[in-house]
Amino acid sequence: MKAVLIHYGKLLGSSFLLLLVVITILFALLEAAPGDPVQSLVGDAPVSEQFREQLVAAYGLDRSVVERYFIYMGSVLTGDLGTSFTTQTPVLDRILGRLGNTLALAIPATVISTLGGIILGVIAARTRNPLLDTGISGGAVGMFSIPNFWLGLMLIAIFSVQLGWLPAQGTASYGQSGIALEHMVLPLITLVTSQFAYNIRVMRSSMIESLGQDFVDTARSKGLSYRQIVWRHGMPNAMLPMITITGYGVGLILAGSVLVERVFGWPGMGLLLVESINNNDTLVVLGVAIVITVCILIANILTDIVYGLADPRLRARFRPKGSES
Amino acid sequence: MSHGAVPKITQTGGNRPKQQTWKVYLRKPAVVIFLTLLVIMVLVSFIGPNFVGSPFSTAHAPLQAPGGANPLGTDHLGRDYLARVVYGGRTSLLVGFTVALLCMTVGLLVGGLAGFYGGVVDTLLVKVAEFFQVIPGLLLALVAAALLGSNVTIIIGILAVTMWPVVARIARAEAMRIAELGYVESARAAGFSRFRIFWSDAVPNAMPPVLVATTMTVGLAILLESGLAFLGIGDANRPSWGALLNLAQPYITSAWWLAAIPGLCIFIVVLAVNMLGDALNDVLNPNIGKVK
């Protein structure tokens, strides 16, 4: 039990450290940003002299860089991301209002790209048909060479404009709330593509390595069917790199969703980020970056837990001595 | 976004002499096709601007379909789209190749030194590389470019900063492996200084996998730059392919070619670069990726 606690303690510690580094980088960027800090906080809106003084006092702009750094760090860590200048509401509320829509795309995208990647990767690895293998592998290179936002535009041009099969914009028909399934199809395809392709390649090479191991010969000499060897013995042993990749993939999907949300007018965090960049609403820009980082870190911690469950060698290490039954 | 898919590399070169490796590489059908494509795209983008008209002149009728006087049609302001695509390619490719060159140089030096010497620098590099593996480059680049402004130099700088650790990680692994090899030991026994050994043994021998990673970096940098430009973060005076896509989006219902052509250009270049990198990897590691 103790080893488990130490392991997860370390994991939480390093995740927290990573968050601190991200906040530090964001603060440094804010400091390095050219122009008047008050103006870049407010954006394009005009600033009255009185308001300027208020801001200078509120953000401690008359203090030293080090002091400001600790003030910023403190307020972010206590969940205060500041006030949005375009809507005069707390930044955190604006972001959390959008978080659900982003996750509604990101979570299915992660699941689909992982499962699809595993299946096609295994098929490409075990096939004796060089055409199928080359087709899948080459197709994967093609899929992660496509700029995903362009793929989205082309899907809209074909399926929404030309054929009229699927809606092009938003989460639901005009005037309705919630998320309609047919509105999700095109954004999901767009978001999934590159991660899916990457997963295929990782799974393929991991599976080839797995199928070359001695236990496969053992399984074959036991007289197991080829299907059983591949899916019951080969695949589980090829899964570990996939779990790691899925952890990183969540981050890439969240980053990619910025572009996809922009293409499909999907009101998630990414669209908020783009809108805020265009409005120079700097605190929201920083806030979205911080919230996405937190999401990524949570995904990484979950990945590590799954990794621990999936790898029997780690389970054995965590088991207290003398309790092996 | 996308990934620099750099497969694991455990050994390099096989037993072939160097020249023969290149010969094998250049004879692969995939290499012949995609190298030709890439060379054409590069030539068109860098020599082409001398032959097409001005990309800013609004002398033509707006939103003309491809064909006729304007081979690729015109955009919403009546600018010749061929000129805009050719000039856009120059920006996109310039960013892609410059970023990759920077990443290769910095990655090879820092990664190589860290792997070869070990110690604090090595620990630090591992942490930095881990950081950039967890936090996506697109997110950092987006926020950085939004705050720092966005001319071509700044974009190149930001992309290089977020992408060099990928190359450095691979250079580090190679340098660590090489530091244990016999020829390094004998060079040390012969009395060469450590830096001399690093420079004349470790660096050239670490090159092949670093080259593969660099090739992939070109594609990823072009994709990231076009993503930023698509969101409106780019040099307004030098619109890249991504910026053309940004301008094309409102006309997706009426003028599909405005979006189709620059995107197709990005796709062809990135695909060519990735395929060439893949083939290079296959030549350098002939045993990996084959079913037994």
Side-chain angles (χ1 to χ4, degrees):
Chain A
M1 200 56 211
K2 212 171 148 207
V4 184
L5 284 183
I6 291 174
H7 177 77
Y8 287 117
K10 266 188 187 164
L11 183 65
L12 282 176
S14 66
S15 304
F16 184 68
L17 211 65
L18 211 137
L19 181 63
L20 294 189
V21 173
V22 170
I23 298 172
T24 308
I25 291 176
L26 293 178
F27 179 80
L29 285 174
L30 197 59
E31 286 292 315
D36 178 14
V38 174
Q39 200 67 59
S40 61
L41 277 172
V42 179
D44 292 334
V47 195
S48 71
E49 204 49 48
Q50 199 189 355
F51 188 47
R52 171 180 291 269
E53 273 164 28
Q54 260 180 23
L55 275 179
V56 167
Y59 288 96
L61 290 174
D62 44 355
R63 299 181 212 213
S64 74
V65 180
V66 182
E67 266 181 290
R68 267 181 288 146
Y69 171 65
F70 283 109
I71 293 170
Y72 181 70
M73 182 70 88
S75 54
V76 169
L77 290 180
T78 49
D80 174 15
L81 298 176
T83 307
S84 161
F85 282 97
T86 44
T87 58
Q88 301 298 337
T89 50
V91 170
L92 192 63
D93 292 355
R94 287 196 74 187
I95 297 174
L96 292 182
R98 300 286 193 97
L99 182 62
N101 283 338
T102 296
L103 293 182
L105 281 185
I107 293 174
T110 308
V111 173
I112 295 171
S113 63
T114 308
L115 290 182
I118 291 172
I119 294 171
L120 279 189
V122 170
I123 292 175
R126 67 129 203 229
T127 184
R128 298 277 157 173
N129 178 354
L131 234 83
L132 185 63
D133 182 24
T134 321
I136 293 177
S137 305
V141 180
M143 277 197 280
F144 68 64
S145 302
I146 301 179
N148 70 354
F149 54 94
W150 178 66
L151 177 67
L153 287 175
M154 291 298 104
L155 288 175
I156 289 177
I158 297 167
F159 292 103
S160 304
V161 179
Q162 296 294 324
L163 300 171
W165 288 354
L166 289 162
Q169 296 283 305
T171 55
S173 317
Y174 188 74
Q176 288 183 326
S177 56
I179 298 172
L181 204 60
E182 74 258 27
H183 281 259
M184 280 180 74
V185 177
L186 293 184
L188 260 184
I189 295 175
T190 312
L191 193 53
V192 156
T193 314
S194 70
Q195 192 58 34
F196 174 51
Y198 191 52
N199 288 346
I200 292 176
R201 283 171 61 91
V202 171
M203 190 65 197
R204 176 181 174 273
S205 61
S206 174
M207 188 69 190
I208 285 175
E209 206 179 308
S210 166
L211 286 179
Q213 305 265 327
D214 288 343
F215 65 80
V216 172
D217 294 338
T218 311
R220 194 170 290 148
S221 61
K222 279 199 302 191
L224 293 185
S225 70
Y226 192 60
R227 180 183 296 262
Q228 265 182 315
I229 293 171
V230 168
W231 295 101
R232 282 281 303 135
H233 293 256
M235 196 207 43
N237 280 289
M239 278 302 290
L240 291 181
M242 273 309 289
I243 297 173
T244 312
I245 290 298
T246 307
Y248 295 139
V250 172
L252 293 164
I253 284 178
L254 282 174
S257 70
V258 176
L259 290 160
V260 174
E261 285 174 11
R262 166 79 170 73
V263 172
F264 290 97
W266 188 270
M269 274 194 297
L271 195 61
L272 180 65
L273 180 64
V274 177
E275 290 163 1
S276 307
I277 288 175
N278 291 335
N279 296 332
N280 279 328
D281 200 341
T282 310
L283 285 176
V284 181
V285 174
L286 299 183
V288 172
I290 290 170
V291 171
I292 291 183
T293 306
V294 172
C295 292
I296 292 172
L297 292 177
I298 292 174
N300 274 332
I301 292 172
L302 291 179
T303 312
D304 197 90
I305 293 174
V306 173
Y307 199 101
L309 294 175
D311 190 345
R313 285 167 300 190
L314 287 182
R315 264 188 323 227
R317 204 168 64 202
F318 286 159
R319 211 173 292 142
K321 282 202 176 79
S323 72
E324 275 99 331
S325 50
Chain B
M1 196 71 213
S2 183
H3 323 268
V6 181
K8 195 171 68 182
I9 288 154
T10 50
Q11 55 152 305
T12 49
N15 293 322
R16 286 192 215 104
K18 211 182 241 166
Q19 272 156 345
Q20 209 179 338
T21 308
W22 287 108
K23 220 176 252 174
V24 171
Y25 180 67
L26 289 174
R27 279 189 191 152
K28 280 174 152 277
V31 172
V32 174
I33 296 169
F34 287 106
L35 197 60
T36 317
L37 267 179
L38 187 64
V39 168
I40 291 174
M41 294 303 276
V42 169
L43 287 180
V44 167
S45 299
F46 285 95
I47 301 177
N50 300 324
F51 297 99
V52 295
S54 160
F56 300 110
S57 143
T58 54
H60 312 277
L63 294 177
Q64 294 294 305
N70 306 99
L72 295 183
T74 57
D75 73 355
H76 60 290
L77 295 177
R79 295 176 287 199
D80 178 37
Y81 213 52
L82 176 67
R84 293 187 65 74
V85 169
V86 168
Y87 273 89
R90 198 171 61 172
T91 308
S92 287
L93 294 179
L94 187 73
V95 172
F97 286 113
T98 316
V99 168
L101 207 65
L102 283 173
C103 287
M104 185 178 82
T105 319
V106 178
L108 190 63
L109 278 181
V110 177
L113 285 171
F116 198 69
Y117 284 91
V120 187
V121 184
D122 190 41
T123 320
L124 209 65
L125 175 70
V126 173
K127 291 287 168 208
V128 171
E130 224 169 74
F131 175 81
F132 282 100
Q133 208 168 20
V134 174
I135 306 297
L138 177 68
L139 184 66
L140 287 175
L142 197 58
V143 176
L147 286 173
L148 299 181
S150 48
N151 61 47
V152 167
T153 322
I154 293 181
I155 299 272
I156 289 176
I158 291 171
L159 290 181
V161 166
T162 56
M163 292 172 67
W164 73 270
V166 179
V167 183
R169 230 181 42 225
I170 286 155
R172 170 185 176 266
E174 271 301 285
M176 269 176 90
R177 185 182 67 82
I178 290 166
E180 303 293 315
L181 292 182
Y183 55 74
V184 169
E185 206 175 328
S186 32
R188 202 176 298 154
F192 289 115
S193 75
R194 287 218 72 177
F195 186 75
R196 162 77 202 266
I197 301 172
F198 168 73
W199 193 250
S200 55
D201 289 314
V203 169
N205 283 296
M207 264 325 264
V210 168
L211 220 55
V212 174
T214 306
T215 319
M216 303 293 193
T217 307
V218 176
L220 193 54
I222 291 176
L223 281 180
L224 281 179
E225 191 279 334
S226 66
L228 292 179
F230 175 68
L231 295 175
I233 298 170
D235 202 324
N237 297 322
R238 295 182 179 186
S240 68
W241 284 331
L244 295 185
L245 285 171
N246 178 29
L247 295 175
Q249 197 187 3
Y251 304 96
I252 192 80
T253 49
S254 51
W256 56 268
W257 65 91
L258 292 182
I261 297 165
L264 199 63
C265 292
I266 300 175
F267 175 57
I268 291 173
V269 169
V270 177
L271 180 70
V273 165
N274 283 339
M275 285 290 188
L276 290 175
D278 237 25
L280 186 60
N281 192 49
D282 285 348
V283 175
L284 295 172
N285 309 285
N287 304 325
I288 290 182
K290 296 272 185 316
V291 189
K292 79 168 181 180

